[in-house]
Amino acid sequence: RGIGRPSNNGKARVYGVELGIDLPINSQLNLTSNLTWQDARSTDRLTGFYDRLLPGEAKLAWYTRLHYSASALGLWYEIDSRQTLYYDRANILPAPDVAQHSIGMEWQTDGWQLTLNLHNLTNENVEDFNGFPKPGRNFQLTITRAI
């Protein structure tokens, strides 16, 4: 009925490949990327659920972050993408593919760190459960003092 709730799916079979890279482009610019492809399927013999993709598990997920740092200041951009995802065990309710963009800056000096992040720049409507959206565009300010 479109109402999400956690449940034990019984048995599952998961195959996949994950590739990651952490590439320093130069002394100030770094690229981090992770690509995951998985085939996560139910092996529960209940009618309608056998050999279906597990709900909430994307078939393809990709994350990339470009980070620039100069002295005490750092700037970054990231994209987090998920494709081929279902809300339910029977794979009747597909979740839309999503790509969320975020930017941020950080400043560090003398044991202090100030971080300002802007997540979900394009204000994508993302739902973990059908009908229950996460917050859209949001800001995060963090001040940390090392002791």
Side-chain angles (χ1 to χ4, degrees), residues 68-79:
Y68 172 79
S69 59
S71 187
L73 180 66
L75 304 169
W76 57 265
Y77 164 79
E78 69 183 22
I79 183 170

Side-chain angles (χ1 to χ4, degrees), residues 101-128:
H101 304 266
S102 301
I103 58 172
M105 65 167 271
E106 58 199 24
W107 176 71
Q108 297 181 39
T109 186
D110 299 327
W112 287 93
Q113 180 178 18
L114 173 72
T115 306
L116 176 63
N117 301 326
L118 174 56
H119 296 286
N120 197 0
L121 287 173
T122 56
N123 204 24
E124 292 286 325
N125 183 6
V126 179
E127 300 175 334
D128 282 338

Side-chain angles (χ1 to χ4, degrees), residues 44-50 52 89-90:
D44 197 339
R45 291 291 179 176
L46 289 173
T47 303
F49 299 144
Y50 180 73
R52 303 289 184 179
R89 290 178 65 191

Side-chain angles (χ1 to χ4, degrees), residues 17-29:
V17 176
E18 186 169 71
L19 303 170
I21 188 170
D22 190 4
L23 178 66
I25 297 170
N26 60 38
S27 62
Q28 296 176 317
L29 194 60

Side-chain angles (χ1 to χ4, degrees), residues 24-43:
I25 297 170
N26 60 38
S27 62
Q28 296 176 317
L29 194 60
N30 192 65
L31 177 72
T32 303
S33 191
N34 191 66
L35 178 68
T36 304
W37 174 86
Q38 67 178 352
D39 188 48
R41 295 192 177 265
S42 173
T43 57

